[in-house]
Amino acid sequence: MYDYTDFDEAFVRTRVAQFRGQVARRLDGSLSEDEFRPLRLMNGVYLQLHAYMLRVAIPYGTLSARQMRALADIADRWDRGYGHFTTRQNIQFNWPKLVDIPDILGALADVGMHAIQTSGNTIRNVTADHFAGAAADEIEDPRPVAELIRQWSTDHPEFQFLPRKFKIAITGSPSDRAVTRAHDIGLRMLRQGGAPGFEVLVGGGLGRTPILGQVIRPFLPKADLLPYLEAIVAAYNLAGRRDNKYKARLKITVFESGLKAFGEAVEAEFARTRAAFSGVDQQLLAEIEAAFARPALPARDANAYHAARAADAAFRAFAAQNVAAHRVAGYGIVTVSLKAHGETPGDATSAQMRVLADLAETFSAGELRISHEQNVILPHVALADLPALHRALAAAGLATANAGLLSDIIACPGMDYCALATARSIPVAQEIATHFKALELEEEIGQIKIKISGCINACGHHHVGHIGILGLDRAGVENYQITLGGDAAERAAIGDKTGPGFAYDEIVPAIERILRAYLAVRLGRDESFIETFRRLGAAPFKAALYHEGARDAA
Amino acid sequence: MSRGSAAKVVTGNDLRAGDVVYLAASGAWVRALHEAELIEDVAIADLRLLEAMARGGEVVGVYLADVRRGPNGPEPVHFREAFRARGPSNYRHGKQEAAHV
């Protein structure tokens, strides 16, 4: 893993000291709220419904055991004993006091973490495939490049006041686990003539105007990445709209000017930036790559794993659902679900964080990942150790075998916490999970992605859910709109609205009608919900949603 | 937001702690909605809001929230204000914890 250099350490410490001074000046009246707000946002401090909220970056989703323990300590000392992992590979603390936040930032700096550029109109935390460095289908680990982008974008003097926030996602695998087409820039690693490079996508994003990113460069040599990114952001910085917040994202710039014209502007900038880059970025990258050397994973005998699979049904379910193929034979990638039925998606208690840190050290080369799907990943687990790991997870309430199933729901904080929300998300996710568990239908329904947002800003990625749920305020009452057919992976798609929305107490029955229709029309258990949707379209689901509903009401 | 309600309270968040506060008739910031001053005169509500906005060393993001008169004092009209007055629905954190409700 990457460890802070002296430069990183000094930079982060300086920012903590600056913020401590800014808070002191706010409290003694030297700074007004209007003056202070942009300063706190630069350091990830929001004011939400009930309290301040601190958003901490987990760059490319990678955490060490030591960092996870520090997050647990922060949760206990300054918050309410838990943290919320988000769809952008951040962790949010929901209850910090402003007066404590400089100390919290100091505790983060102690373990090489920060909250810089987790808000504001800057390049945000760079997100990556949560299986990076472990996935069986990976071309190269994308995290060294993500770290290079983090260093380049942090405090980049030209990009501190962009027209709007700017999000970059990167994957090193053909499988897209990083939702690259829903980012301002998506980077997908490819090989051309044996050399690695990137397919570069621009202009994607969800929010009030969901648009999928388009390919601006089918293949960019790896060495050209930073000058090319700098060219894109520079072109956007000039052309992006500053007159209207809702039209200020890159996706609108690309949409309004057209990909061709925007591409020409990028190429013009690229001629300049490429000449200006001296190659020092490639020296830095080589150093970063050395820090990401793969952990030694000795050959292990998997007999214990096969014996446990044969003997223990709960273990069998866990191994089948939550363990993905590793690049090294005899190893697996374990998804630890933070979606126990009835719990808040993405929340982990401080006790759970400590258990995960211990288990990472014992079983996963000390490494943890946070997925955009709000789960924790143990990336390097020997199959031989899986039975022991499973027992330890079960004891901590962390062995829910639902990765990729119906209850593995993405949900934003919604109106339970967020000042922007128009309706609640969390209780809808909780009720869907417990309802289908009670019906014992989850396993029968199989692979499906349900994603819930509590407002049109779409932090819950509802547009790319196979079933998306959007909570709105309709005349002072919570109302939930359903979209169908979205996809976050390689076949990225924006879901279509089904029709009129549903009241809070109608939304779970509405989801049940959709899923019962799926069970009735699918070709068999091998045809997943999204495959059935692609074959038949929305018609059978809309019929179940509205016609049957009308009959019930009559 | 509902436009039907004439009654208002002044509300915002405490600068230091961030929790939801309401303006009482005494001029103090109180933690419970039912202890807030219920203001029915629009002109007085606007005046109270201006006074509150001048107290930026104590509170952040003050605004007028719609309320209705209840038996124990102001009650929320919109569900957003109901959450602010109570706390989140997934944990008994926030005001509901302090009040042991």
Side-chain angles (χ1 to χ4, degrees), chain B residues 33-78:
Chain B
L33 174 57
H34 69 265
E35 294 172 4
E37 180 189 12
L38 184 143
I39 312 165
E40 288 178 312
D41 185 313
V42 177
I44 292 175
D46 287 343
L47 184 64
R48 289 275 193 280
L49 178 63
L50 283 172
E51 290 167 355
M53 288 168 79
R55 295 167 68 179
E58 302 165 16
V59 288
V60 188
V62 288
Y63 62 96
L64 294 172
D66 289 343
V67 291
R68 65 170 73 87
R69 185 183 291 281
N72 300 313
E75 292 177 354
V77 173
H78 191 275

mmCIF file of all heavy atoms in Angstrom, chain B residues 33-78:
data_model
loop_
_atom_site.group_PDB
_atom_site.id
_atom_site.type_symbol
_atom_site.label_atom_id
_atom_site.label_comp_id
_atom_site.label_asym_id
_atom_site.label_seq_id
_atom_site.Cartn_x
_atom_site.Cartn_y
_atom_site.Cartn_z
ATOM 1 N N LEU B 33 -38.692 21.867 19.917
ATOM 2 C CA LEU B 33 -39.611 22.665 19.095
ATOM 3 C C LEU B 33 -40.766 23.220 19.927
ATOM 4 O O LEU B 33 -41.168 24.374 19.753
ATOM 5 C CB LEU B 33 -40.136 21.808 17.931
ATOM 6 C CG LEU B 33 -41.218 22.431 17.057
ATOM 7 C CD1 LEU B 33 -40.761 23.764 16.455
ATOM 8 C CD2 LEU B 33 -41.641 21.472 15.946
ATOM 9 N N HIS B 34 -41.298 22.429 20.853
ATOM 10 C CA HIS B 34 -42.485 22.900 21.584
ATOM 11 C C HIS B 34 -42.167 24.075 22.512
ATOM 12 O O HIS B 34 -43.072 24.747 22.991
ATOM 13 C CB HIS B 34 -43.156 21.742 22.348
ATOM 14 C CG HIS B 34 -42.363 21.218 23.505
ATOM 15 N ND1 HIS B 34 -41.538 20.128 23.393
ATOM 16 C CD2 HIS B 34 -42.249 21.642 24.787
ATOM 17 C CE1 HIS B 34 -40.959 19.909 24.573
ATOM 18 N NE2 HIS B 34 -41.380 20.818 25.429
ATOM 19 N N GLU B 35 -40.858 24.320 22.748
ATOM 20 C CA GLU B 35 -40.483 25.465 23.582
ATOM 21 C C GLU B 35 -40.238 26.736 22.765
ATOM 22 O O GLU B 35 -39.957 27.796 23.320
ATOM 23 C CB GLU B 35 -39.203 25.136 24.383
ATOM 24 C CG GLU B 35 -39.400 24.036 25.404
ATOM 25 C CD GLU B 35 -38.088 23.600 26.048
ATOM 26 O OE1 GLU B 35 -37.037 24.197 25.752
ATOM 27 O OE2 GLU B 35 -38.129 22.650 26.847
ATOM 28 N N ALA B 36 -40.344 26.610 21.438
ATOM 29 C CA ALA B 36 -40.073 27.762 20.576
ATOM 30 C C ALA B 36 -41.219 28.761 20.616
ATOM 31 O O ALA B 36 -42.356 28.423 20.966
ATOM 32 C CB ALA B 36 -39.856 27.291 19.143
ATOM 33 N N GLU B 37 -40.894 29.995 20.234
ATOM 34 C CA GLU B 37 -41.934 31.016 20.128
ATOM 35 C C GLU B 37 -42.717 30.797 18.837
ATOM 36 O O GLU B 37 -42.142 30.775 17.746
ATOM 37 C CB GLU B 37 -41.311 32.412 20.106
ATOM 38 C CG GLU B 37 -42.363 33.516 19.991
ATOM 39 C CD GLU B 37 -41.774 34.907 19.759
ATOM 40 O OE1 GLU B 37 -40.564 35.015 19.449
ATOM 41 O OE2 GLU B 37 -42.527 35.879 19.894
ATOM 42 N N LEU B 38 -44.019 30.615 18.963
ATOM 43 C CA LEU B 38 -44.875 30.477 17.793
ATOM 44 C C LEU B 38 -45.293 31.873 17.343
ATOM 45 O O LEU B 38 -45.845 32.639 18.125
ATOM 46 C CB LEU B 38 -46.093 29.614 18.140
ATOM 47 C CG LEU B 38 -47.042 29.294 16.987
ATOM 48 C CD1 LEU B 38 -47.568 27.873 17.122
ATOM 49 C CD2 LEU B 38 -48.201 30.288 16.949
ATOM 50 N N ILE B 39 -44.947 32.208 16.097
ATOM 51 C CA ILE B 39 -45.152 33.569 15.612
ATOM 52 C C ILE B 39 -46.205 33.539 14.506
ATOM 53 O O ILE B 39 -46.022 32.862 13.493
ATOM 54 C CB ILE B 39 -43.835 34.157 15.055
ATOM 55 C CG1 ILE B 39 -42.674 33.916 16.030
ATOM 56 C CG2 ILE B 39 -43.994 35.639 14.764
ATOM 57 C CD1 ILE B 39 -41.308 34.137 15.418
ATOM 58 N N GLU B 40 -47.302 34.266 14.725
ATOM 59 C CA GLU B 40 -48.379 34.228 13.733
ATOM 60 C C GLU B 40 -48.404 35.469 12.856
ATOM 61 O O GLU B 40 -48.991 35.453 11.786
ATOM 62 C CB GLU B 40 -49.729 34.000 14.436
ATOM 63 C CG GLU B 40 -49.822 32.560 14.936
ATOM 64 C CD GLU B 40 -51.098 32.248 15.692
ATOM 65 O OE1 GLU B 40 -51.461 33.035 16.587
ATOM 66 O OE2 GLU B 40 -51.724 31.216 15.384
ATOM 67 N N ASP B 41 -47.760 36.531 13.321
ATOM 68 C CA ASP B 41 -47.731 37.778 12.556
ATOM 69 C C ASP B 41 -46.523 37.753 11.613
ATOM 70 O O ASP B 41 -45.378 37.643 12.051
ATOM 71 C CB ASP B 41 -47.622 38.958 13.542
ATOM 72 C CG ASP B 41 -47.702 40.304 12.831
ATOM 73 O OD1 ASP B 41 -47.001 40.477 11.800
ATOM 74 O OD2 ASP B 41 -48.453 41.174 13.312
ATOM 75 N N VAL B 42 -46.781 37.858 10.319
ATOM 76 C CA VAL B 42 -45.711 37.733 9.313
ATOM 77 C C VAL B 42 -44.630 38.785 9.529
ATOM 78 O O VAL B 42 -43.433 38.489 9.430
ATOM 79 C CB VAL B 42 -46.306 37.867 7.890
ATOM 80 C CG1 VAL B 42 -45.197 37.812 6.854
ATOM 81 C CG2 VAL B 42 -47.330 36.775 7.647
ATOM 82 N N ALA B 43 -45.035 40.000 9.857
ATOM 83 C CA ALA B 43 -44.061 41.079 10.018
ATOM 84 C C ALA B 43 -43.148 40.796 11.204
ATOM 85 O O ALA B 43 -41.932 41.012 11.142
ATOM 86 C CB ALA B 43 -44.784 42.409 10.206
ATOM 87 N N ILE B 44 -43.744 40.275 12.269
ATOM 88 C CA ILE B 44 -42.930 39.945 13.449
ATOM 89 C C ILE B 44 -42.004 38.773 13.135
ATOM 90 O O ILE B 44 -40.836 38.759 13.523
ATOM 91 C CB ILE B 44 -43.840 39.644 14.667
ATOM 92 C CG1 ILE B 44 -44.549 40.941 15.083
ATOM 93 C CG2 ILE B 44 -43.033 39.067 15.828
ATOM 94 C CD1 ILE B 44 -45.562 40.771 16.184
ATOM 95 N N ALA B 45 -42.515 37.808 12.392
ATOM 96 C CA ALA B 45 -41.679 36.659 12.014
ATOM 97 C C ALA B 45 -40.459 37.133 11.233
ATOM 98 O O ALA B 45 -39.324 36.703 11.501
ATOM 99 C CB ALA B 45 -42.502 35.670 11.191
ATOM 100 N N ASP B 46 -40.666 38.026 10.281
ATOM 101 C CA ASP B 46 -39.544 38.531 9.480
ATOM 102 C C ASP B 46 -38.548 39.291 10.350
ATOM 103 O O ASP B 46 -37.337 39.176 10.168
ATOM 104 C CB ASP B 46 -40.068 39.447 8.364
ATOM 105 C CG ASP B 46 -40.765 38.654 7.269
ATOM 106 O OD1 ASP B 46 -40.564 37.422 7.219
ATOM 107 O OD2 ASP B 46 -41.507 39.255 6.478
ATOM 108 N N LEU B 47 -39.078 40.049 11.303
ATOM 109 C CA LEU B 47 -38.209 40.803 12.209
ATOM 110 C C LEU B 47 -37.368 39.864 13.067
ATOM 111 O O LEU B 47 -36.152 40.026 13.205
ATOM 112 C CB LEU B 47 -39.077 41.711 13.095
ATOM 113 C CG LEU B 47 -38.324 42.635 14.047
ATOM 114 C CD1 LEU B 47 -37.486 43.644 13.280
ATOM 115 C CD2 LEU B 47 -39.308 43.350 14.979
ATOM 116 N N ARG B 48 -38.032 38.841 13.632
ATOM 117 C CA ARG B 48 -37.317 37.852 14.459
ATOM 118 C C ARG B 48 -36.231 37.152 13.645
ATOM 119 O O ARG B 48 -35.151 36.873 14.145
ATOM 120 C CB ARG B 48 -38.297 36.799 14.990
ATOM 121 C CG ARG B 48 -39.233 37.305 16.055
ATOM 122 C CD ARG B 48 -38.585 37.244 17.439
ATOM 123 N NE ARG B 48 -39.607 37.439 18.456
ATOM 124 C CZ ARG B 48 -40.094 38.618 18.815
ATOM 125 N NH1 ARG B 48 -39.636 39.723 18.237
ATOM 126 N NH2 ARG B 48 -41.036 38.701 19.729
ATOM 127 N N LEU B 49 -36.550 36.866 12.390
ATOM 128 C CA LEU B 49 -35.574 36.191 11.529
ATOM 129 C C LEU B 49 -34.349 37.082 11.318
ATOM 130 O O LEU B 49 -33.209 36.622 11.420
ATOM 131 C CB LEU B 49 -36.206 35.814 10.186
ATOM 132 C CG LEU B 49 -35.261 35.140 9.183
ATOM 133 C CD1 LEU B 49 -34.754 33.800 9.727
ATOM 134 C CD2 LEU B 49 -35.956 34.924 7.840
ATOM 135 N N LEU B 50 -34.607 38.366 11.059
ATOM 136 C CA LEU B 50 -33.485 39.298 10.862
ATOM 137 C C LEU B 50 -32.619 39.378 12.117
ATOM 138 O O LEU B 50 -31.392 39.366 12.041
ATOM 139 C CB LEU B 50 -34.020 40.692 10.500
ATOM 140 C CG LEU B 50 -34.493 40.860 9.065
ATOM 141 C CD1 LEU B 50 -35.166 42.217 8.887
ATOM 142 C CD2 LEU B 50 -33.324 40.713 8.095
ATOM 143 N N GLU B 51 -33.288 39.424 13.270
ATOM 144 C CA GLU B 51 -32.539 39.477 14.532
ATOM 145 C C GLU B 51 -31.701 38.205 14.710
ATOM 146 O O GLU B 51 -30.547 38.258 15.135
ATOM 147 C CB GLU B 51 -33.508 39.617 15.720
ATOM 148 C CG GLU B 51 -34.181 40.987 15.776
ATOM 149 C CD GLU B 51 -35.372 41.027 16.743
ATOM 150 O OE1 GLU B 51 -35.755 39.962 17.306
ATOM 151 O OE2 GLU B 51 -35.923 42.119 16.929
ATOM 152 N N ALA B 52 -32.308 37.081 14.347
ATOM 153 C CA ALA B 52 -31.608 35.801 14.501
ATOM 154 C C ALA B 52 -30.413 35.734 13.558
ATOM 155 O O ALA B 52 -29.343 35.224 13.921
ATOM 156 C CB ALA B 52 -32.562 34.644 14.232
ATOM 157 N N MET B 53 -30.580 36.254 12.337
ATOM 158 C CA MET B 53 -29.495 36.207 11.361
ATOM 159 C C MET B 53 -28.300 37.040 11.829
ATOM 160 O O MET B 53 -27.161 36.773 11.443
ATOM 161 C CB MET B 53 -29.983 36.680 9.987
ATOM 162 C CG MET B 53 -30.908 35.673 9.317
ATOM 163 S SD MET B 53 -31.774 36.328 7.872
ATOM 164 C CE MET B 53 -30.506 36.230 6.657
ATOM 165 N N ALA B 54 -28.578 38.016 12.662
ATOM 166 C CA ALA B 54 -27.489 38.844 13.185
ATOM 167 C C ALA B 54 -26.718 38.127 14.293
ATOM 168 O O ALA B 54 -25.694 38.619 14.754
ATOM 169 C CB ALA B 54 -28.055 40.164 13.711
ATOM 170 N N ARG B 55 -27.212 36.955 14.718
ATOM 171 C CA ARG B 55 -26.551 36.210 15.800
ATOM 172 C C ARG B 55 -25.718 35.058 15.228
ATOM 173 O O ARG B 55 -25.780 33.920 15.691
ATOM 174 C CB ARG B 55 -27.601 35.711 16.795
ATOM 175 C CG ARG B 55 -28.295 36.887 17.510
ATOM 176 C CD ARG B 55 -29.536 36.468 18.261
ATOM 177 N NE ARG B 55 -29.238 35.611 19.412
ATOM 178 C CZ ARG B 55 -30.182 35.148 20.233
ATOM 179 N NH1 ARG B 55 -31.462 35.453 20.044
ATOM 180 N NH2 ARG B 55 -29.848 34.376 21.251
ATOM 181 N N GLY B 56 -24.960 35.398 14.185
ATOM 182 C CA GLY B 56 -24.168 34.389 13.480
ATOM 183 C C GLY B 56 -23.057 33.772 14.306
ATOM 184 O O GLY B 56 -22.474 32.762 13.916
ATOM 185 N N GLY B 57 -22.762 34.354 15.462
ATOM 186 C CA GLY B 57 -21.771 33.755 16.350
ATOM 187 C C GLY B 57 -22.347 32.631 17.198
ATOM 188 O O GLY B 57 -21.607 31.954 17.916
ATOM 189 N N GLU B 58 -23.689 32.447 17.103
ATOM 190 C CA GLU B 58 -24.343 31.405 17.906
ATOM 191 C C GLU B 58 -24.963 30.317 17.042
ATOM 192 O O GLU B 58 -24.992 29.151 17.430
ATOM 193 C CB GLU B 58 -25.462 32.038 18.761
ATOM 194 C CG GLU B 58 -24.972 33.139 19.686
ATOM 195 C CD GLU B 58 -26.126 33.978 20.240
ATOM 196 O OE1 GLU B 58 -27.294 33.536 20.161
ATOM 197 O OE2 GLU B 58 -25.856 35.084 20.738
ATOM 198 N N VAL B 59 -25.493 30.728 15.888
ATOM 199 C CA VAL B 59 -26.273 29.784 15.070
ATOM 200 C C VAL B 59 -25.879 29.895 13.605
ATOM 201 O O VAL B 59 -25.304 30.891 13.172
ATOM 202 C CB VAL B 59 -27.795 30.054 15.193
ATOM 203 C CG1 VAL B 59 -28.313 29.632 16.549
ATOM 204 C CG2 VAL B 59 -28.099 31.501 14.889
ATOM 205 N N VAL B 60 -26.237 28.854 12.841
ATOM 206 C CA VAL B 60 -25.952 28.773 11.410
ATOM 207 C C VAL B 60 -27.248 28.459 10.667
ATOM 208 O O VAL B 60 -28.080 27.690 11.159
ATOM 209 C CB VAL B 60 -24.955 27.620 11.115
ATOM 210 C CG1 VAL B 60 -24.504 27.661 9.673
ATOM 211 C CG2 VAL B 60 -23.767 27.680 12.038
ATOM 212 N N GLY B 61 -27.415 29.059 9.517
ATOM 213 C CA GLY B 61 -28.503 28.663 8.614
ATOM 214 C C GLY B 61 -29.893 28.878 9.174
ATOM 215 O O GLY B 61 -30.757 27.998 9.052
ATOM 216 N N VAL B 62 -30.138 30.042 9.762
ATOM 217 C CA VAL B 62 -31.473 30.263 10.342
ATOM 218 C C VAL B 62 -32.508 30.532 9.255
ATOM 219 O O VAL B 62 -32.194 31.102 8.200
ATOM 220 C CB VAL B 62 -31.476 31.417 11.370
ATOM 221 C CG1 VAL B 62 -30.779 31.001 12.641
ATOM 222 C CG2 VAL B 62 -30.861 32.668 10.784
ATOM 223 N N TYR B 63 -33.719 30.082 9.504
ATOM 224 C CA TYR B 63 -34.834 30.312 8.582
ATOM 225 C C TYR B 63 -36.134 30.204 9.359
ATOM 226 O O TYR B 63 -36.136 29.802 10.533
ATOM 227 C CB TYR B 63 -34.799 29.327 7.410
ATOM 228 C CG TYR B 63 -34.941 27.876 7.792
ATOM 229 C CD1 TYR B 63 -36.193 27.241 7.747
ATOM 230 C CD2 TYR B 63 -33.839 27.124 8.203
ATOM 231 C CE1 TYR B 63 -36.325 25.907 8.089
ATOM 232 C CE2 TYR B 63 -33.966 25.793 8.551
ATOM 233 C CZ TYR B 63 -35.216 25.186 8.492
ATOM 234 O OH TYR B 63 -35.352 23.866 8.843
ATOM 235 N N LEU B 64 -37.237 30.568 8.697
ATOM 236 C CA LEU B 64 -38.562 30.434 9.301
ATOM 237 C C LEU B 64 -39.154 29.104 8.857
ATOM 238 O O LEU B 64 -39.212 28.810 7.660
ATOM 239 C CB LEU B 64 -39.479 31.572 8.839
ATOM 240 C CG LEU B 64 -39.097 32.982 9.308
ATOM 241 C CD1 LEU B 64 -39.989 34.019 8.611
ATOM 242 C CD2 LEU B 64 -39.235 33.096 10.831
ATOM 243 N N ALA B 65 -39.565 28.298 9.824
ATOM 244 C CA ALA B 65 -40.203 27.018 9.506
ATOM 245 C C ALA B 65 -41.686 27.100 9.828
ATOM 246 O O ALA B 65 -42.074 27.691 10.845
ATOM 247 C CB ALA B 65 -39.552 25.896 10.313
ATOM 248 N N ASP B 66 -42.479 26.490 8.960
ATOM 249 C CA ASP B 66 -43.922 26.420 9.197
ATOM 250 C C ASP B 66 -44.224 25.494 10.378
ATOM 251 O O ASP B 66 -43.629 24.422 10.488
ATOM 252 C CB ASP B 66 -44.643 25.857 7.964
ATOM 253 C CG ASP B 66 -44.649 26.838 6.807
ATOM 254 O OD1 ASP B 66 -44.394 28.027 7.045
ATOM 255 O OD2 ASP B 66 -44.897 26.397 5.665
ATOM 256 N N VAL B 67 -45.131 25.925 11.214
ATOM 257 C CA VAL B 67 -45.592 25.082 12.329
ATOM 258 C C VAL B 67 -47.099 25.249 12.489
ATOM 259 O O VAL B 67 -47.701 26.146 11.884
ATOM 260 C CB VAL B 67 -44.903 25.465 13.670
ATOM 261 C CG1 VAL B 67 -43.433 25.097 13.661
ATOM 262 C CG2 VAL B 67 -45.085 26.955 13.967
ATOM 263 N N ARG B 68 -47.672 24.379 13.290
ATOM 264 C CA ARG B 68 -49.055 24.580 13.717
ATOM 265 C C ARG B 68 -49.086 24.614 15.244
ATOM 266 O O ARG B 68 -48.170 24.107 15.896
ATOM 267 C CB ARG B 68 -49.968 23.482 13.171
ATOM 268 C CG ARG B 68 -49.682 22.089 13.700
ATOM 269 C CD ARG B 68 -50.785 21.107 13.296
ATOM 270 N NE ARG B 68 -50.725 20.766 11.885
ATOM 271 C CZ ARG B 68 -49.982 19.767 11.383
ATOM 272 N NH1 ARG B 68 -49.241 19.014 12.183
ATOM 273 N NH2 ARG B 68 -49.981 19.520 10.091
ATOM 274 N N ARG B 69 -50.139 25.230 15.772
ATOM 275 C CA ARG B 69 -50.256 25.330 17.232
ATOM 276 C C ARG B 69 -50.760 23.999 17.783
ATOM 277 O O ARG B 69 -51.792 23.480 17.342
ATOM 278 C CB ARG B 69 -51.243 26.450 17.582
ATOM 279 C CG ARG B 69 -51.363 26.739 19.066
ATOM 280 C CD ARG B 69 -52.404 27.816 19.341
ATOM 281 N NE ARG B 69 -51.998 29.138 18.861
ATOM 282 C CZ ARG B 69 -51.137 29.944 19.510
ATOM 283 N NH1 ARG B 69 -50.592 29.566 20.651
ATOM 284 N NH2 ARG B 69 -50.839 31.126 19.019
ATOM 285 N N GLY B 70 -50.015 23.414 18.704
ATOM 286 C CA GLY B 70 -50.447 22.170 19.335
ATOM 287 C C GLY B 70 -50.715 22.402 20.800
ATOM 288 O O GLY B 70 -50.475 23.507 21.306
ATOM 289 N N PRO B 71 -51.192 21.377 21.497
ATOM 290 C CA PRO B 71 -51.520 21.556 22.925
ATOM 291 C C PRO B 71 -50.310 21.933 23.774
ATOM 292 O O PRO B 71 -50.446 22.627 24.780
ATOM 293 C CB PRO B 71 -52.087 20.190 23.336
ATOM 294 C CG PRO B 71 -51.702 19.236 22.261
ATOM 295 C CD PRO B 71 -51.514 20.035 21.006
ATOM 296 N N ASN B 72 -49.097 21.479 23.356
ATOM 297 C CA ASN B 72 -47.902 21.769 24.158
ATOM 298 C C ASN B 72 -46.976 22.787 23.519
ATOM 299 O O ASN B 72 -45.830 22.931 23.935
ATOM 300 C CB ASN B 72 -47.124 20.477 24.414
ATOM 301 C CG ASN B 72 -47.954 19.464 25.157
ATOM 302 O OD1 ASN B 72 -48.600 19.787 26.152
ATOM 303 N ND2 ASN B 72 -47.992 18.249 24.645
ATOM 304 N N GLY B 73 -47.450 23.439 22.473
ATOM 305 C CA GLY B 73 -46.589 24.393 21.785
ATOM 306 C C GLY B 73 -46.544 24.073 20.300
ATOM 307 O O GLY B 73 -47.331 23.258 19.803
ATOM 308 N N PRO B 74 -45.602 24.688 19.578
ATOM 309 C CA PRO B 74 -45.547 24.495 18.127
ATOM 310 C C PRO B 74 -45.292 23.033 17.757
ATOM 311 O O PRO B 74 -44.530 22.332 18.429
ATOM 312 C CB PRO B 74 -44.354 25.369 17.707
ATOM 313 C CG PRO B 74 -44.157 26.343 18.810
ATOM 314 C CD PRO B 74 -44.602 25.658 20.058
ATOM 315 N N GLU B 75 -45.924 22.596 16.654
ATOM 316 C CA GLU B 75 -45.718 21.251 16.112
ATOM 317 C C GLU B 75 -45.334 21.394 14.643
ATOM 318 O O GLU B 75 -45.764 22.328 13.970
ATOM 319 C CB GLU B 75 -47.010 20.422 16.222
ATOM 320 C CG GLU B 75 -47.389 20.102 17.658
ATOM 321 C CD GLU B 75 -48.714 19.345 17.743
ATOM 322 O OE1 GLU B 75 -49.381 19.173 16.692
ATOM 323 O OE2 GLU B 75 -49.063 18.938 18.867
ATOM 324 N N PRO B 76 -44.547 20.449 14.120
ATOM 325 C CA PRO B 76 -44.122 20.562 12.719
ATOM 326 C C PRO B 76 -45.292 20.362 11.757
ATOM 327 O O PRO B 76 -46.233 19.615 12.052
ATOM 328 C CB PRO B 76 -43.103 19.434 12.568
ATOM 329 C CG PRO B 76 -43.410 18.472 13.666
ATOM 330 C CD PRO B 76 -43.986 19.276 14.789
ATOM 331 N N VAL B 77 -45.210 21.050 10.622
ATOM 332 C CA VAL B 77 -46.190 20.852 9.555
ATOM 333 C C VAL B 77 -45.616 19.878 8.528
ATOM 334 O O VAL B 77 -46.257 18.913 8.143
ATOM 335 C CB VAL B 77 -46.550 22.203 8.883
ATOM 336 C CG1 VAL B 77 -47.436 21.981 7.656
ATOM 337 C CG2 VAL B 77 -47.231 23.122 9.887
ATOM 338 N N HIS B 78 -44.375 20.150 8.111
ATOM 339 C CA HIS B 78 -43.751 19.327 7.069
ATOM 340 C C HIS B 78 -42.921 18.211 7.706
ATOM 341 O O HIS B 78 -42.363 18.408 8.782
ATOM 342 C CB HIS B 78 -42.858 20.210 6.194
ATOM 343 C CG HIS B 78 -42.381 19.534 4.950
ATOM 344 N ND1 HIS B 78 -41.263 18.748 4.938
ATOM 345 C CD2 HIS B 78 -42.888 19.507 3.693
ATOM 346 C CE1 HIS B 78 -41.092 18.278 3.711
ATOM 347 N NE2 HIS B 78 -42.065 18.714 2.936
#
